[in-house]
Structures are given as structure tokens and as C-alpha cells.
Amino acid sequence: AAIEERGHRAAIEASSSPWHANLSLPQQLHMLKYWKELKTKCYHLWMDEIENEALGKAHGVLQEAVVRCRGQVRERSNHIKLAGVCHEEILMAFDRCQSASTTAVPKPMKAVPKSNESRRPDLSDDENR
């Protein structure tokens, strides 16, 4: 019961405390590039099915979200919380784009890697030596 109480307290503290982290310039550029790639993929799906009105509308929603979020991150705030909300909105809009396409095969979205993330060594090699 004590562990459960500590977990509840930690969850409450985490959700009520403000996030103070900001995206670095390389992280911002990486995020903006990723969003642009999603918008481009959706555009190509739409061009392949130009008569698909639902896909055209989904592209418009995605394009609007990318433009707005890009402006917010670049000009207003590079705060991680704002970027996270925008990222989720853009991923949901891209998912709607894929869902509206009759030819797209939905693929699981890859997590956006940190630009300074290094590859972890394979520990299984050490066990065999």
C-alpha cells in the first residue's frame, strides 16, 4: 500500500508541476523536418487520389496544423510541452490522411529519435567473449 501511495503522489506531482525544458535548435529543426515529411507524404497520397475529397480535406487539416505549429515553435515558444501537443496533433492528422486514402497501407509511426542519441552497445556480444 505504501508503494502505491508513493506512486500516486509522484504521478500527482509530475502532472501538476510545470515543464521547464525547451527544445534546442537542432531538436527544433529535426522536429520541423519530420513534420514537413509527414505533410509531404500526405500530399503525395492526395495527388495519387486527386478525386478523393476526404483525403484532400485531411491534407488541408494536416497542412494547417504543420504551418501553425511550425510558427508556434519557431516564433512563440520552443517549450517541450507545446511541441509535444503539436506533435500529437500532427500525428493524428497524418493518421487521418492515411485512413482517408484507399491505396495507403498504414505503417506504424517511428518515434522521433533524439538527434544526439547514441547507439547502445550490444551487450550480447560481451556475454559471448
Side-chain angles (χ1 to χ4, degrees):
I3 293 173
E4 186 176 340
E5 289 175 18
R6 281 196 315 236
H8 286 292
R9 275 197 306 268
I12 290 169
E13 288 172 12
S15 67
S16 63
S17 68
W19 296 3
H20 297 290
N22 290 324
L23 293 174
S24 67
L25 183 57
Q27 290 171 327
Q28 290 177 46
L29 294 175
H30 184 77
M31 185 73 71
L32 297 174
K33 179 182 174 192
Y34 186 70
W35 292 347
K36 184 178 179 181
E37 289 172 3
L38 293 178
K39 184 178 76 161
T40 301
K41 286 179 185 180
C42 183
Y43 175 79
H44 289 300
L45 288 174
W46 179 35
M47 290 296 103
D48 290 343
E49 301 177 48
I50 197 69
E51 299 295 322
N52 187 337
E53 290 182 25
L55 188 51
K57 183 176 179 180
H59 174 264
V61 169
L62 176 59
Q63 183 175 9
E64 185 274 327
V66 169
V67 168
R68 182 175 34 77
C69 287
R70 181 177 54 217
Q72 286 179 348
V73 169
R74 286 179 132 180
E75 298 164 12
R76 191 173 131 213
S77 172
N78 62 347
H79 198 272
I80 190 83
K81 194 170 189 177
L82 176 65
V85 170
C86 275
H87 188 65
E88 181 64 27
E89 179 183 356
I90 289 168
L91 288 179
M92 288 179 2
F94 180 73
D95 190 42
R96 283 192 295 272
C97 182
Q98 282 190 317
S99 297
S101 173
T102 59
T103 60
V105 177
K107 297 178 183 175
M109 296 301 301
K110 295 180 182 176
V112 178
K114 295 178 185 175
S115 58
N116 60 356
E117 189 173 86
S118 62
R119 186 179 178 271
R120 291 185 183 177
D122 187 9
L123 299 178
S124 62
D125 291 342
D126 292 338
E127 293 173 0
N128 296 329
R129 290 183 193 172

